[in-house]
Amino acid sequence: MDLMQALRDRHAVRSYTDQKIEEPVLQALREEIAACNGQGGLDIQLVTDEPEAFGSLMARCSGFRGVRNYLLLAGEDTPDLPQRAGYFGQRLALRAGQLGLNSCWVAGTYRKNRCAAVLKEGQKLVCVIALGHGTTQGTAHKSKPLSALCRVNGPMPDWFRAGMEAAMLAPTAMNQQKFIVSLADGEVQVHATGGSCAEVNVGIVKYHFECGAGQTCFLPQMQAVC
């Protein structure tokens, strides 16, 4: 499965089977995690066969079932950490999809004190991504129209439209799509328009936009360079 197909096919899945993640898949994930940590200055960690983080009543009431594997998105507690976590976390979620796994972004419905995070001094856990073999493939979320999510100074280039079509598929908190992508004088910027996990959402949208546009518009530090 190529990256764009993984982007189109990936939907949030909260219920998982007891099938273990195969070792070759785990190794491929570990390799991608190492690359993301190196490029993004993060400390993303893969946890497997650990049921406690999603064993609470809150998690079950939110529809989580059988979650035993997850990614911990963590790093040095700096102002841009949430964006970097979003950007590289979604890169990993899509890589997991290419490897045949399902996933779900999780901000609050897990037990932080029970998850197997090993944080160094000065680090912060931003959120987690549940992973595994889903009992379903999830369903697509409805999207706002393209015109409501972007602002362009002048005619819209084809590459920007392609980037926006991918950005419209980005997972955001509560599927609210509280972001705006703008293009002015050749520079692309993504801004949050409120809502929870706003900066994480921005990072996710930036990664999707780059996938669709077919060009690098943002450095790992989340600075626009287009």
Side-chain angles (χ1 to χ4, degrees), residues 5-225:
Q5 189 63 48
L7 186 151
R8 288 188 290 267
D9 288 352
R10 186 212 165 269
H11 310 301
V13 171
R14 298 190 175 198
S15 178
Y16 296 85
T17 71
D18 59 3
Q19 180 181 347
K20 290 184 177 295
I21 300 177
E22 300 81 355
E23 185 55 39
V25 173
L26 290 174
Q27 183 57 36
L29 274 177
R30 293 186 187 108
E31 292 173 1
E32 189 71 0
I33 289 167
C36 288
N37 283 339
Q39 295 171 27
L42 296 164
D43 189 11
I44 299 171
Q45 302 166 32
L46 173 63
V47 177
T48 59
D49 295 321
E50 194 293 293
E52 293 298 320
F54 286 84
S56 68
L57 177 61
M58 179 183 295
R60 292 194 296 273
C61 289
S62 297
F64 287 101
R65 299 285 189 278
V67 180
R68 301 179 62 87
N69 311 289
Y70 50 89
L71 293 169
L72 294 157
L73 306 183
E76 185 179 353
D77 189 7
T78 59
D80 65 343
L81 174 61
Q83 276 200 34
R84 288 185 286 120
Y87 183 95
F88 287 99
Q90 187 61 6
R91 173 172 153 179
L92 287 167
L94 294 181
R95 180 63 179 137
Q98 290 179 301
L99 294 167
L101 301 178
N102 302 101
S103 61
C104 184
W105 281 83
V106 190
T109 48
Y110 68 99
R111 295 189 288 190
K112 290 186 178 181
N113 63 335
R114 295 292 185 89
C115 69
V118 180
L119 301 182
K120 301 173 185 176
E121 184 176 355
Q123 288 188 332
K124 179 180 180 180
L125 174 60
V126 179
C127 53
V128 306
I129 300 176
L131 293 174
H133 295 281
T135 58
T136 72
Q137 295 303 305
T139 57
H141 63 76
K142 294 182 178 180
S143 175
K144 296 177 182 178
L146 185 148
S147 59
L149 296 172
C150 68
R151 301 287 184 270
V152 177
N153 185 7
M156 183 180 294
D158 290 342
W159 64 266
F160 184 88
R161 181 177 294 277
M164 280 305 307
E165 289 172 352
M168 292 166 68
L169 298 174
T172 57
M174 307 297 291
N175 294 326
Q176 292 181 331
Q177 294 183 298
K178 289 185 175 292
F179 65 86
I180 290 289
V181 184
S182 63
L183 174 64
D185 299 323
E187 182 176 310
V188 182
Q189 294 188 345
V190 182
H191 299 285
T193 58
S196 60
C197 303
E199 292 305 302
V200 175
N201 293 339
V202 167
I204 296 172
V205 170
K206 284 183 173 182
Y207 187 71
H208 267 236
F209 183 91
E210 285 188 342
C211 290
Q215 55 182 285
T216 301
C217 298
F218 312 102
L219 292 172
Q221 293 79 11
M222 304 301 102
Q223 298 172 337
V225 295

